[in-house]
Amino acid sequence: MTTTATVRADCAADPAGALTFDLAPTAAPGPEAVLLLRYRGAAGTTVRLPLSSTAPGRLRAVLPTTTALPEGRWDAYVEEPGSDRTLTVVPGLRDLRTLVDRTPDSGTAAISSRVPYPTVDGRLALRSWHRAPHAEAGTLRVGPSGMSAEGVLYGVGAGEGAVVEARLPGEPTRVHRVPLTAAGEAGGFAFTLPYAPLATEPVTEVRLWRLWLIPSAGAKAVRISRILDDIWSRDKTHVYPGRPVADGVLATPCYTAANDLCVRLDPAPA
């Protein structure tokens, strides 16, 4: 790939989640140029969106909700077929107000979310999620010895034996379960997770307990995450207070860079 110029793109989201990219290239691309979205997770996986002229010096591409995007991160370029020139896309204005606090119908079978964002080195990228079913985390409350959370379950109903599991990756026998209760409107759920059972063994390094929702006895686990807004990575934007547990260990609710809900255990200071 040869990159010789950059192009600025303003982004806007509509209430359904479709994204519009308005480009102002410094050098006019060829008539068959496309907005190229390149997936970071698998070589050769791309989505090409046609560009159309909307005004002198302005081009537009639309990513409809019907276009399937594998979950992950996508980088944006402008590609000219038949040419070795590829334009790097940099972010302009991002109007994502319609993504804030989205509330799909509780009967929605699958949840998709796409959030354009600026990368650390100043390029335009897109974070996509596709969950079916999906457990959307809502309000979190931190108590003196544990955390409580509410949320909404999409694509499956909670039934008898519904629980939330805290799992320690790489240690399949380390699972702690708490009951799930209904809350609020249809699909709403709530749970309370005490920290002490997560620290029954010595904690000598950081441990990340990942939270899953089991809708009913024997059902497939659903990852608890928060993806229905305009935040592409919550690991540094949503910071919660920690609470001490056994032997000076500190327990803290947190989100991963992929917006999955966890509880982090930090060992006692040396």
Side-chain angles (χ1 to χ4, degrees), residues 39-46:
Y39 186 50
R40 294 186 195 173
T45 302
T46 58

Side-chain angles (χ1 to χ4, degrees), residues 97-186:
R97 290 171 292 178
T98 60
L99 299 183
V100 177
D101 296 327
R102 289 173 58 202
T103 54
D105 185 273
S106 60
T108 304
I111 297 296
S112 293
S113 180
R114 293 93 174 267
V115 181
Y117 71 94
T119 64
V120 174
D121 58 356
R123 296 176 294 108
L124 179 67
L126 186 71
R127 182 63 170 94
S128 70
W129 290 270
H130 183 79
R131 303 282 172 92
H134 170 58
E136 176 74 3
T139 301
L140 267 62
R141 297 181 178 85
V142 178
S145 59
M147 61 169 282
S148 297
E150 297 178 357
V152 179
L153 186 60
Y154 296 95
V156 65
E160 186 176 352
V163 298
V164 166
E165 287 188 351
R167 299 178 178 180
L168 199 59
E171 300 189 31
T173 61
R174 299 289 304 280
V175 176
H176 178 63
R177 298 179 180 88
V178 296
L180 188 77
T181 60
E185 300 179 357

